[in-house]
Amino acid sequence: MSSAASGAGRPPPRTETVPLGAAATALAADAVLLGFVRALRSAGLDASAERLYAFLRAIDLLGPGKRADVYWAGRATLCGGHDDLERYERVFAAYFGTPGGSAPRRDQAAAPPRLGLATRAASTARRGPGGSEPPGPHTATLASSAEVLRHRDVAGLDAGERAQLHRLLAAFALQGQTRRSARRRPARRGDVDPRRTVRELLRRGGEPARLRRHTRVTQPRRIVLLVDVSGSMAPYADALLRFAHAAVRGGRTEVFTIGTRLTRVTRELAHRDPDLAMAALAQAVPDWRGGTRLGELLREFLIRWGQRGMARGAVVVLLSDGWERGDPELLGTQMRRLHTLAHQVIWANPRKARPGYAPLAAGMAAALPSVDAFVEGHSLAALERLASVVRGAASRATPVKGAERA
Amino acid sequence: MTDPEQVRARLEETGYLVDEGLAVTCFLALRLHRPLFCEGDAGVGKTALATALAEALGAPLIRLQCHEGIDASQALYDWDFPRQLLHLRAAEAAGVQDADRLESELYDRRFLIARPLLQALQTQPSVLLVDEIDRADDEFEAFLLELLSEYSVTIPELGTLRAQEPPVVVLTSNRTREVHDALKRRCLYHWFDHPSFARELAIVRRRLPQVPERLAEQVTALVQTLRGADLLKPPGVAETIDWAQALDALGASEVDAELAVTTLGSVLKYREDADRARGLDLAAVLAARGA
């Protein structure tokens, strides 16, 4: 599409009223718009053909007039969420130039590099020439080594073991607890279902018929995973995120990373392929291996998402070592708030398995009173146990305090 | 309405002030027959937009409030079983012999209870508000997707009902859950921000013309300050209007720090937020607003 961009041989419109394609033919104007959409796509916006079509129709309707019209038409048709807006704005400014800006960029062809492709290539390259992926072992050895691997600390694995762990994690599923919903379904036992009974009577022309019954549907609870990606969690973050990836496939799971900022990554993890998902995630999360501000970020989570309903009645899992750089008091307060909102709060701490571990880190100590279950998170076995706690099986077997003892 | 400017003017007549972006988006929604997907904090005017659009178009507003477990029979249509049964009994008593006719009568239009979605398809023109779509579940989204792309419904006993003119559809979401991409793709997207001081003041003035200008100004300034104060639940425009209305009801023509604190309950709904607001120097804000 460099031709489209070089259709910008004419001066790029700078002011509010300069027509986009006054001099050019309609075709060239379309090409400019297409080029714009291309630039958006390479910046990571998911602008499908359908959206593009809507965009062109919108422009057609508005007439290729004002810059602001183009801006708003594109924003309404090409963006799908709040996260897209910032990117959209950036690309729009780069492509059409800033109004009244100092130096509108002339070489629009130099759109942002094609990040999507680059990372995909990188991820295959990592596997290809590096040859780190070992040839698949026999199934028998796989089974027994899997058993050993299950209990190993993730932090101490070599590359081969890690790859195997990833395969095991990929086959994993996280199911939430269930709750009663307002909906009912036909059942043998339960209350009489007047509608179906009457319908049945009608079908039989008013003759007596068996009573139809219905019962409440149970629905899985939403699961929210908050994964700590700060420096102190570096040995575990990858495994935990793969765990999260497996969990997202179950449907009602939301994943956030916390470090120095809060990032919602549910969408990135929606890729079926774990490696692609991890690559997308690596791009989306800006704060790998930084510090942790658990309290502040938890607060942000609660304000932006939690209290609006995401945490309400959900099972919320924090995967973190509880090293808090900020004020532990704040973390304590936010954990109390979270606890009043959520159905259950679970804290999985990879460091808990270390011999002699005591929750002395100030953050962890402040958070514990508001935690329903405190579990380990360092190995596959621990993650399996975490999954069973999330499912509600383990928490029923071992009451709240017991989880802490275990 | 032939251009965005006209849309803006018509909405303004109803007392709903829109900026350029929203005007363009609404115009496109009307002309392209695409649903309008509205996101933003609570109380920024998403639902009010649907009401205003309905008024501007002179069309009835049909509202569907979503909740978890909502299904087609609550949203689309249902058969009125008691009446069908009654009809059957009445026919029996009258000694009707023609069973076929009787049966076909049972699934007559008059026994059909139209729920909001069907009502919207049958009413021309109409504005359909699907409120808080993020509360419904995925299955319902998929169902809505089908309906919104065809603007038609198939009822097995009656056949396919198609809207002659598609209703104007406004969907709102509070972002408690990511709505499926497939649904969003069919919609135009608009993000609602909190308005600037001038715009918010204009909105308050428009909505509450009886409130003294000075009071409106002060209240708006206070709310804008509170919004910047890092609260659990920053107040929306709806709260600004509530507050101004409350103060007006108390007979105040202007507000001082003390009165502001006593009436904080109309704006802030968390104890922590109220504590925080009391810690702010409200008097200074009021003083800065040209005493």
PDB file of all heavy atoms in Angstrom, chain A residues 7-8 10 19-30 32 64:
ATOM      1  N   GLY A   7       0.361   8.403  -2.363  1.00  0.00           N
ATOM      2  CA  GLY A   7      -0.709   9.250  -2.850  1.00  0.00           C
ATOM      3  C   GLY A   7      -0.672  10.542  -2.050  1.00  0.00           C
ATOM      4  O   GLY A   7      -1.352  11.512  -2.332  1.00  0.00           O
ATOM      5  N   ALA A   8       0.124  10.507  -1.006  1.00  0.00           N
ATOM      6  CA  ALA A   8       0.380  11.686  -0.210  1.00  0.00           C
ATOM      7  C   ALA A   8       1.512  12.480  -0.818  1.00  0.00           C
ATOM      8  O   ALA A   8       2.298  13.102  -0.128  1.00  0.00           O
ATOM      9  CB  ALA A   8       0.734  11.290   1.216  1.00  0.00           C
ATOM     10  N   ARG A  10       0.742  14.782  -2.556  1.00  0.00           N
ATOM     11  CA  ARG A  10       0.217  16.122  -2.301  1.00  0.00           C
ATOM     12  C   ARG A  10       0.344  16.420  -0.811  1.00  0.00           C
ATOM     13  O   ARG A  10       0.476  15.514   0.001  1.00  0.00           O
ATOM     14  CB  ARG A  10      -1.227  16.202  -2.771  1.00  0.00           C
ATOM     15  CG  ARG A  10      -2.112  15.284  -2.072  1.00  0.00           C
ATOM     16  CD  ARG A  10      -3.270  14.901  -2.963  1.00  0.00           C
ATOM     17  NE  ARG A  10      -3.819  13.683  -2.476  1.00  0.00           N
ATOM     18  CZ  ARG A  10      -4.418  13.563  -1.310  1.00  0.00           C
ATOM     19  NH1 ARG A  10      -4.538  14.589  -0.535  1.00  0.00           N
ATOM     20  NH2 ARG A  10      -4.878  12.421  -0.922  1.00  0.00           N
ATOM     21  N   PRO A  19      -9.823  19.785   2.505  1.00  0.00           N
ATOM     22  CA  PRO A  19     -10.459  18.547   2.049  1.00  0.00           C
ATOM     23  C   PRO A  19      -9.413  17.465   1.833  1.00  0.00           C
ATOM     24  O   PRO A  19      -8.292  17.747   1.444  1.00  0.00           O
ATOM     25  CB  PRO A  19     -11.115  18.954   0.734  1.00  0.00           C
ATOM     26  CG  PRO A  19     -10.711  20.346   0.461  1.00  0.00           C
ATOM     27  CD  PRO A  19      -9.833  20.850   1.527  1.00  0.00           C
ATOM     28  N   LEU A  20      -9.883  16.229   2.087  1.00  0.00           N
ATOM     29  CA  LEU A  20      -8.932  15.137   2.001  1.00  0.00           C
ATOM     30  C   LEU A  20      -8.551  14.833   0.567  1.00  0.00           C
ATOM     31  O   LEU A  20      -7.404  14.635   0.249  1.00  0.00           O
ATOM     32  CB  LEU A  20      -9.569  13.889   2.604  1.00  0.00           C
ATOM     33  CG  LEU A  20      -9.249  13.651   4.065  1.00  0.00           C
ATOM     34  CD1 LEU A  20      -9.951  12.405   4.526  1.00  0.00           C
ATOM     35  CD2 LEU A  20      -7.754  13.545   4.253  1.00  0.00           C
ATOM     36  N   GLY A  21      -9.574  14.771  -0.283  1.00  0.00           N
ATOM     37  CA  GLY A  21      -9.259  14.346  -1.638  1.00  0.00           C
ATOM     38  C   GLY A  21      -9.788  15.321  -2.661  1.00  0.00           C
ATOM     39  O   GLY A  21     -10.264  14.935  -3.710  1.00  0.00           O
ATOM     40  N   ALA A  22      -9.745  16.599  -2.341  1.00  0.00           N
ATOM     41  CA  ALA A  22     -10.322  17.590  -3.242  1.00  0.00           C
ATOM     42  C   ALA A  22      -9.642  17.536  -4.596  1.00  0.00           C
ATOM     43  O   ALA A  22     -10.301  17.535  -5.626  1.00  0.00           O
ATOM     44  CB  ALA A  22     -10.196  18.977  -2.631  1.00  0.00           C
ATOM     45  N   ALA A  23      -8.319  17.450  -4.566  1.00  0.00           N
ATOM     46  CA  ALA A  23      -7.587  17.449  -5.829  1.00  0.00           C
ATOM     47  C   ALA A  23      -7.570  16.057  -6.440  1.00  0.00           C
ATOM     48  O   ALA A  23      -7.638  15.895  -7.644  1.00  0.00           O
ATOM     49  CB  ALA A  23      -6.157  17.938  -5.582  1.00  0.00           C
ATOM     50  N   ALA A  24      -7.499  15.075  -5.599  1.00  0.00           N
ATOM     51  CA  ALA A  24      -7.351  13.713  -6.111  1.00  0.00           C
ATOM     52  C   ALA A  24      -8.689  13.172  -6.581  1.00  0.00           C
ATOM     53  O   ALA A  24      -9.739  13.714  -6.279  1.00  0.00           O
ATOM     54  CB  ALA A  24      -6.794  12.824  -5.022  1.00  0.00           C
ATOM     55  N   THR A  25      -8.634  12.098  -7.302  1.00  0.00           N
ATOM     56  CA  THR A  25      -9.867  11.459  -7.720  1.00  0.00           C
ATOM     57  C   THR A  25     -10.426  10.673  -6.556  1.00  0.00           C
ATOM     58  O   THR A  25      -9.766  10.467  -5.547  1.00  0.00           O
ATOM     59  CB  THR A  25      -9.584  10.483  -8.867  1.00  0.00           C
ATOM     60  OG1 THR A  25      -8.678   9.507  -8.365  1.00  0.00           O
ATOM     61  CG2 THR A  25      -8.989  11.189 -10.055  1.00  0.00           C
ATOM     62  N   ALA A  26     -11.692  10.234  -6.718  1.00  0.00           N
ATOM     63  CA  ALA A  26     -12.319   9.478  -5.647  1.00  0.00           C
ATOM     64  C   ALA A  26     -11.510   8.218  -5.357  1.00  0.00           C
ATOM     65  O   ALA A  26     -11.383   7.773  -4.222  1.00  0.00           O
ATOM     66  CB  ALA A  26     -13.740   9.108  -6.050  1.00  0.00           C
ATOM     67  N   LEU A  27     -10.950   7.667  -6.426  1.00  0.00           N
ATOM     68  CA  LEU A  27     -10.185   6.433  -6.259  1.00  0.00           C
ATOM     69  C   LEU A  27      -8.987   6.649  -5.351  1.00  0.00           C
ATOM     70  O   LEU A  27      -8.711   5.870  -4.439  1.00  0.00           O
ATOM     71  CB  LEU A  27      -9.739   5.937  -7.630  1.00  0.00           C
ATOM     72  CG  LEU A  27      -9.328   4.470  -7.673  1.00  0.00           C
ATOM     73  CD1 LEU A  27     -10.520   3.581  -7.389  1.00  0.00           C
ATOM     74  CD2 LEU A  27      -8.722   4.150  -9.033  1.00  0.00           C
ATOM     75  N   ALA A  28      -8.292   7.735  -5.614  1.00  0.00           N
ATOM     76  CA  ALA A  28      -7.110   8.014  -4.812  1.00  0.00           C
ATOM     77  C   ALA A  28      -7.499   8.249  -3.360  1.00  0.00           C
ATOM     78  O   ALA A  28      -6.797   7.837  -2.445  1.00  0.00           O
ATOM     79  CB  ALA A  28      -6.381   9.227  -5.373  1.00  0.00           C
ATOM     80  N   ALA A  29      -8.662   8.890  -3.159  1.00  0.00           N
ATOM     81  CA  ALA A  29      -9.120   9.138  -1.794  1.00  0.00           C
ATOM     82  C   ALA A  29      -9.363   7.817  -1.084  1.00  0.00           C
ATOM     83  O   ALA A  29      -8.963   7.627   0.064  1.00  0.00           O
ATOM     84  CB  ALA A  29     -10.397   9.975  -1.821  1.00  0.00           C
ATOM     85  N   ASP A  30     -10.001   6.893  -1.804  1.00  0.00           N
ATOM     86  CA  ASP A  30     -10.221   5.574  -1.234  1.00  0.00           C
ATOM     87  C   ASP A  30      -8.907   4.919  -0.870  1.00  0.00           C
ATOM     88  O   ASP A  30      -8.778   4.291   0.183  1.00  0.00           O
ATOM     89  CB  ASP A  30     -10.972   4.695  -2.231  1.00  0.00           C
ATOM     90  CG  ASP A  30     -12.473   4.804  -2.031  1.00  0.00           C
ATOM     91  OD1 ASP A  30     -12.860   5.598  -1.146  1.00  0.00           O
ATOM     92  OD2 ASP A  30     -13.220   4.114  -2.728  1.00  0.00           O
ATOM     93  N   VAL A  32      -6.168   6.317  -0.041  1.00  0.00           N
ATOM     94  CA  VAL A  32      -5.629   6.937   1.169  1.00  0.00           C
ATOM     95  C   VAL A  32      -6.278   6.327   2.397  1.00  0.00           C
ATOM     96  O   VAL A  32      -5.611   5.980   3.381  1.00  0.00           O
ATOM     97  CB  VAL A  32      -5.863   8.463   1.144  1.00  0.00           C
ATOM     98  CG1 VAL A  32      -5.527   9.075   2.491  1.00  0.00           C
ATOM     99  CG2 VAL A  32      -5.030   9.103   0.057  1.00  0.00           C
ATOM    100  N   PRO A  64     -16.252  13.379   1.462  1.00  0.00           N
ATOM    101  CA  PRO A  64     -14.842  13.421   1.859  1.00  0.00           C
ATOM    102  C   PRO A  64     -14.464  14.819   2.300  1.00  0.00           C
ATOM    103  O   PRO A  64     -13.613  15.460   1.720  1.00  0.00           O
ATOM    104  CB  PRO A  64     -14.105  13.009   0.586  1.00  0.00           C
ATOM    105  CG  PRO A  64     -15.016  13.435  -0.514  1.00  0.00           C
ATOM    106  CD  PRO A  64     -16.418  13.388   0.013  1.00  0.00           C
TER     107      PRO A  64
END
